[in-house]
Amino acid sequence: MDQDLQDFTDYLSRVAGKSPNTVRSYRADLSGFLHLMHLHGIDDPAQIDLATIRSWLAHEASTHARSTMARKTAALRSFFGWLSRHDRIKTDPTLALSSPKQSEHLPRILTHDQARTLMDTVDQDPVEPREDAKVQAALQVRDAAMLELLYATGMRVAELCGLDLDDVNRHSRTVKVLGKGSKERVLPYGLPADRALDRWLGEGRPVLAGATAKSSLKAGHALFLGQLGGRVGQRQVRKVVHQAAGQAGVPDIAPHALRHSAATHMLDGGADLREVQEMLGHSSLRTTQRYTHVSIEQLRARYKQAFPRA
């Protein structure tokens, strides 16, 4: 079954165009399942039936969130469906397997004022750096550019980290991102983000790119760099967002909350739902419709506060 799993993950990345995160998650889920099958003496996927799959999912559900179980179910359905289409098994045991219903949690967002406070805080000029503090000043300029771009475009963290220098068109103030399923989209950004990028490219990036001389990392064409000069990582970006929220005195958020906030604020400003769908790179309009629910909740809260007969 190891070869089946390897062939399937190759298919996901090379043919289906799934993101590296999806491929990695599916492989981890399936590896755990197939390892347990091996411990029970099952080494042929044709021997696995629906009852066995449901039993494993029920056991996993006791220690995992509903969203994680939905992903595990999707991984199993995708894997056995692929095996069936390639005649490695006669029948697909997951055909009658339904995905667990996900709770409709409204995404966490910042208010307009909180978002403005956050951006104003990160855009503050760094203290005139001493010679030994130039890297820290460069990091502050980088952090401001990253947060401005995340909020201005609603892009994902992985998309931000994957940006190269030539993905940014300063003339048209647009940036080209590579989203899920290797789908490209071009996103506009405003003047605040442009000013932050201008400062990063002119003052900050050259400093961090010079740090590669002291490390084994290479700056290459990456737009955003880490302290040692290599391409910035997702964990670094998440840390930056958390720290910036704390410094600004706004609710602690993850980078995805900036994406949620950008979408909701666009809808509040009159943007069309399909325009927001295109900006976020959602394949389904239903995913984007979550943000209309957020806007309605905000409207309801303002109504109760302001209307005398609420």
Side-chain angles (χ1 to χ4, degrees):
M1 290 193 290
D2 289 343
Q3 189 60 51
D4 288 328
L5 180 57
Q6 183 59 52
D7 292 345
F8 173 65
T9 51
D10 288 343
Y11 159 80
L12 289 178
S13 57
R14 297 175 184 176
V15 180
K18 297 295 185 182
S19 71
N21 284 341
T22 298
V23 175
R24 186 162 48 248
S25 297
Y26 275 27
R27 185 181 183 91
D29 293 336
L30 293 168
S31 293
F33 172 73
L34 295 177
H35 177 67
L36 185 62
M37 295 300 100
H38 173 73
L39 293 179
H40 284 79
I42 300 176
D43 291 309
D44 183 351
Q47 298 176 293
I48 301 173
D49 57 17
L50 179 59
T52 301
I53 293 172
R54 281 178 169 163
S55 176
W56 180 75
L57 288 172
H59 176 267
E60 292 291 293
S62 63
T63 55
H64 292 87
R66 193 173 295 182
S67 57
T68 302
M69 294 311 302
R71 189 197 66 220
K72 289 178 181 289
T73 303
L76 287 166
R77 293 175 66 178
S78 183
F79 177 58
F80 282 98
W82 178 83
L83 289 174
S84 178
R85 290 193 303 274
H86 289 78
D87 297 322
R88 301 196 183 193
I89 57 175
K90 290 184 178 180
T91 58
D92 179 0
T94 66
L95 287 175
L97 187 66
S98 58
S99 297
K101 290 184 178 180
Q102 299 224 38
S103 56
E104 291 292 332
H105 289 301
L106 295 178
R108 185 177 188 180
I109 66 165
L110 297 177
T111 65
H112 290 267
D113 288 341
Q114 288 169 344
R116 187 180 301 110
T117 299
L118 176 62
M119 295 304 149
D120 288 345
T121 300
V122 300
D123 286 339
Q124 290 177 358
D125 292 339
V127 177
E128 189 65 29
R130 306 182 309 275
E131 185 64 30
D132 61 348
K134 283 187 176 180
V135 170
Q136 292 305 315
L139 290 172
Q140 185 175 338
V141 172
R142 179 207 64 183
D143 296 349
M146 292 195 305
L147 265 74
E148 283 283 7
L149 203 57
L150 282 171
Y151 179 57
T153 64
M155 69 174 65
R156 302 176 178 93
V157 177
E159 294 168 347
L160 178 87
C161 294
L163 290 176
D164 289 331
L165 290 168
D166 57 5
D167 290 328
V168 179
N169 187 325
R170 298 290 307 284
H171 178 71
S172 63
R173 292 210 302 268
T174 57
V175 58
K176 179 178 66 178
V177 302
L178 186 65
K180 290 184 176 180
S182 299
K183 295 179 181 178
E184 288 186 351
R185 64 189 193 280
V186 177
L187 305 173
Y189 60 84
L191 279 172
D194 190 56
R195 286 192 290 265
L197 278 172
D198 185 64
R199 190 164 191 178
W200 160 243
L201 293 172
E203 303 174 19
R205 192 181 186 280
V207 173
L208 296 189
T212 58
K214 301 178 181 179
S215 75
S216 60
L217 300 175
K218 299 297 182 183
H221 299 288
L223 175 61
F224 292 113
L225 308 178
Q227 186 168 346
L228 298 180
R231 185 181 294 274
V232 73
Q234 295 185 42
R235 183 176 297 179
Q236 291 173 281
V237 178
R238 292 189 177 93
K239 183 178 179 180
V240 165
V241 174
H242 284 300
Q243 289 178 339
Q247 292 169 359
V250 301
D252 185 29
I253 56 169
H256 219 63
L258 285 177
R259 176 172 163 86
H260 295 325
S261 301
T264 305
H265 296 168
M266 280 191 66
L267 287 170
D268 288 344
D272 181 81
L273 191 61
R274 290 200 176 274
E275 293 171 343
V276 177
Q277 177 190 10
E278 178 67 23
M279 183 186 82
L280 298 180
H282 287 156
S283 58
S284 170
L285 189 63
R286 185 176 184 276
T287 305
T288 315
Q289 284 175 330
R290 291 184 303 167
Y291 301 106
T292 63
H293 299 159
V294 175
S295 295
I296 291 170
E297 287 298 314
Q298 290 179 332
L299 175 61
R300 183 178 290 114
R302 288 195 294 266
Y303 178 83
K304 288 182 178 179
Q305 182 180 21
F307 192 61
R309 295 181 66 84

